[in-house]
Amino acid sequence: MAMRVLVTDGMDAGAMEQLRRDGYEVVEQFYEPDSLGTALRDFDAVIIRSATKIKEPQIDAAKGGRLKLIIRAGVGVDNIAVPYAEAAGIQVRNTPRASSNAVAELALALLFSCARNISIAGHTMRENKWEKKAYSKGFELSGKTMGVVGYGRIGSLVGQKAQALGMNVLSYVNRHKPEGCECDTMHFVSPDEVFAQSDVIVLCAPGSGKPIVDAESLAKMKDGVVIVNVSRGANVDEAALLDALNSGKVKAAGLDVWMSEKDPNWALAQHPAVSCTPHIGAGTKEAQKRIGAELVDIIEHFEA
């Protein structure tokens, strides 16, 4: 019997065709949470992105069926109840390498937008307004200090690109310090030093259940700091960030991720000092091809 693969949130068309040429039965269909678990009983593997969540109820409903593999086409797996799935005999995999560069480049794009008022200046231009004086008060990145929270695959790429722009980089680690990163323009320091010394703070860390940017950490930061989040929406207390933007404590923010993707914080998204995108960090043709290739490799080498 051919292995049946469910794709709920889309994937690279070439990769999907490759799986079909390899003899896999691939079904592309999105299911609402209430019906997803039952549907999974008829598939050996499921490929999801961020829109689909496979938590305890879906896993319970899938038990006794064919499901043996859940693949997250992306980095984080916080939309999957991983230990619960594995306890039920279902393996969980992801594609951590494929989208790292795309996310890192978006972090820099959001930062450039914040530094030069690109988002709001472009918006007013589309309203037939010539606001040159208002938006000619940007700042240059060269010579500034960037604090990178989470110096893994994405964070280290952000740090490398920032150093190439002439920035100094600070980060901190909770466990093992990556080797070969520290140099004259990159140092690991304490969390409080990252907050206190950085002109720009970029969040690249996985979600931990507690916001990294909240009222407490904001109070430790420089006045006029810039916040960029390409990690998880839960890493930012959105109400605290909005208050800090309104007070001027935070000069600008670049946001690709949100607490809720179904109902984002529109007041934050519409703030004139915010440059924002709808979770498109991995949204490049190159990254999608790499993700697709990694998905194919995982399925082809899967052993139940």
Side-chain angles (χ1 to χ4, degrees):
M1 183 182 297
M3 184 175 179
R4 299 192 77 222
V5 180
L6 174 65
V7 178
T8 63
D9 304 326
M11 65 181 287
D12 178 69
M16 198 178 308
E17 183 57 33
Q18 179 64 53
L19 287 175
R20 289 179 173 137
R21 285 198 301 268
D22 290 343
Y24 298 98
E25 181 182 349
V26 181
V27 177
E28 187 176 13
Q29 184 173 340
F30 178 80
Y31 286 91
E32 295 295 337
D34 291 346
S35 58
L36 175 61
T38 302
L40 290 175
R41 294 173 62 87
D42 296 327
F43 292 91
D44 301 283
V46 57
I47 297 171
I48 69 173
R49 297 179 67 85
S50 58
T52 296
K53 293 177 174 56
I54 302 181
K55 297 292 190 176
E56 288 84 351
Q58 287 76 34
I59 294 167
D60 284 339
K63 286 179 180 177
R66 296 173 58 170
L67 187 66
K68 295 298 180 184
L69 176 64
I70 300 170
I71 311 175
R72 165 73 162 89
V75 179
V77 290
D78 47 336
N79 55 334
I80 305 169
V82 178
Y84 199 78
E86 291 177 342
I90 302 169
Q91 296 184 36
V92 179
R93 302 286 300 275
N94 64 346
T95 60
R97 296 176 296 277
S99 59
S100 297
N101 187 68
V103 177
E105 287 190 2
L106 180 64
L108 268 295
L110 290 169
L111 178 53
F112 273 114
S113 182
C114 290
R116 300 305 301 271
N117 303 303
I118 293 171
S119 179
I120 184 63
H123 179 76
T124 55
M125 285 286 288
R126 288 188 289 275
E127 293 180 340
N128 301 322
K129 297 176 182 177
W130 186 260
E131 305 262 357
K132 179 177 179 177
K133 185 175 181 180
Y135 302 124
S136 292
K137 300 175 182 178
F139 65 91
E140 296 180 11
L141 300 181
S142 180
K144 300 298 191 298
T145 297
M146 173 189 285
V148 182
V149 181
Y151 218 71
R153 291 184 180 91
I154 295 171
S156 60
L157 284 170
V158 171
Q160 291 168 23
K161 296 174 192 300
Q163 290 172 79
L165 293 169
M167 302 185 76
N168 297 303
V169 176
L170 301 176
S171 188
Y172 65 87
V173 291
N174 293 322
R175 296 183 180 178
H176 304 294
K177 183 185 296 185
E179 296 182 359
C181 296
E182 289 193 276
C183 60
D184 290 344
T185 55
M186 194 281 149
H187 298 282
F188 290 108
V189 296
S190 70
D192 283 351
E193 287 176 292
V194 169
F195 293 143
Q197 297 178 23
S198 299
D199 303 295
V200 174
I201 293 177
V202 181
L203 305 183
C204 303
S208 63
K210 181 183 183 298
I212 296 168
V213 173
D214 56 12
E216 181 181 354
S217 61
L218 284 164
K220 300 175 182 178
M221 298 178 193
K222 290 183 177 182
D223 292 342
V225 67
V226 174
I227 306 291
V228 175
N229 188 14
V230 291
S231 58
R232 288 291 177 263
N235 282 337
V236 172
D237 180 332
E238 293 179 343
L241 177 58
L242 186 57
D243 287 343
L245 285 162
N246 287 331
S247 72
K249 175 69 179 183
V250 173
K251 177 181 178 61
L255 306 172
D256 182 50
V257 288
W258 307 84
M259 280 293 295
S260 170
E261 295 195 356
K262 290 186 176 180
D263 186 24
N265 187 322
W266 295 114
L268 187 59
Q270 293 166 8
H271 194 284
V274 171
S275 295
C276 56
T277 45
H279 199 172
I280 60 170
T284 67
K285 293 182 293 184
E286 295 86 351
Q288 292 309 305
K289 287 186 178 299
R290 290 193 296 268
I291 290 171
E294 201 164 339
L295 293 170
V296 170
D297 184 69
I298 290 170
I299 290 174
E300 288 181 341
H301 290 89
F302 172 67
E303 295 182 2

